[in-house]
Amino acid sequence: MFTLRPPMGWNSWNTFAEKIDENLVREMADVIVEKGLDKVGYNYVVIDDCWAEKTRDENGRLVPDKKKFPSGMKALSDYVHSKGLKFGMYSCAGVLTCGQYPASYDYEYVDAKTFAEWGVDFLKYDFCYKPESVDGKALYRRMGVALANCGRDILLSACSWGAEKTHEWVRSTGAGMWRSTGDIFDNWNSIKGIILQQVDRTCEYKNNEGSMPFGGIGCFNDMDMLVVGMHGAGHVGLGGCTDEEYRTHFTAWAIFGSPLMIGCDIRKMDDEAYKILTNPEVLAINQDARGAQPYVANNGWVKEHDDCSPAIARLLENGDIAVALFNLGDKDNFFDFRGDQIGLPPVSKARLMARDVWTGEEFEIHNYAYITDIPAHDCKLLRIKVIPQ
């Protein structure tokens, strides 16, 4: 499947891990519709690992766990589809999944056909227990070809964690998104580390070392599922975050154009998490049709106690410019960027009208420079309109 915008939906892993069953998945599909999450774009319902029996059947086909999914996957996908949503599942390029269930190594075509018959629309394809004798790119290409010929349009989510230089070959597999990081956890250090990995692995302003240039239309750079609203509960709920940290997390996923897969228990989602996940102006930046590459928009990095705090900019379809300023440090500080760093030197003679998409504040940026104070672990996200004179 050729993806024009970052996929959005809900995935079971972050909260539930192996504690899944068909009733839970049906409830999640119901809640997505009841809360209107589908109306803002969250339309995939994805079952992660631990859904299968430990052995294949006599025909070599995967078998859903009979206790967890007694009605079978086709009935479950039919239910999800009846809600106007799309159905996603999980497998792995190795001999076992990460949870040590049967995986798709040497069964790519059988499994692709099975997933198509079950009505699957999305396949998260992990990288555990890969035979050392085979390159990862060969395994993802196998599944990519198998899915392309299975008779159903299935989005391949290549979850190889950025291993084996994934960015160099992932588009050759036909994947619509690729994981550039290891697994996320529900705490600030995990979120900060993933943000920095997109920009600069060394925190020394060397952009060529980050994952930022390797996403976009056709194959989006996946920064892993969201932890917004988990507050320390669930499988990856290791510590939890403040609402400000969740807002920074969501801002980063938006400006970088990452897929947005909710990971919290949406049945228990609080009002602030809902506001973060459904902010229409932030989602519009994430889903912008231009799909332009984000870039660093401040010449020097503010550093406090060895923390990097970049400004990230991205050109949008209508000519607006989105700019996110991140205070990744542990103390309050001031941040800035100038017009010439986002393609607007003073000679352009344009007016710059900004809107803070989190607060709704509107203001003009004078003298082609913006300076603001940002609390620790917080951010600003501006949408800047260029008005030629």
Side-chain angles (χ1 to χ4, degrees), residues 163-203:
E164 299 186 15
K165 299 182 178 179
T166 304
H167 62 279
E168 295 183 356
W169 48 260
V170 68
R171 286 181 178 267
S172 72
T173 70
M177 52 192 277
W178 69 284
R179 269 280 293 285
S180 60
T181 73
D183 290 351
I184 195 171
F185 298 97
D186 181 23
N187 60 61
W188 173 248
N189 284 336
S190 178
I191 290 169
K192 181 177 76 171
I194 290 173
I195 293 172
L196 290 177
Q197 186 172 345
Q198 307 312 302
V199 182
D200 181 355
R201 295 175 189 270
T202 65
C203 197

Side-chain angles (χ1 to χ4, degrees), residues 367-378:
N367 302 316
Y368 295 86
Y370 178 73
I371 302 173
T372 187
D373 294 322
I374 301 179
H377 302 185
D378 210 338

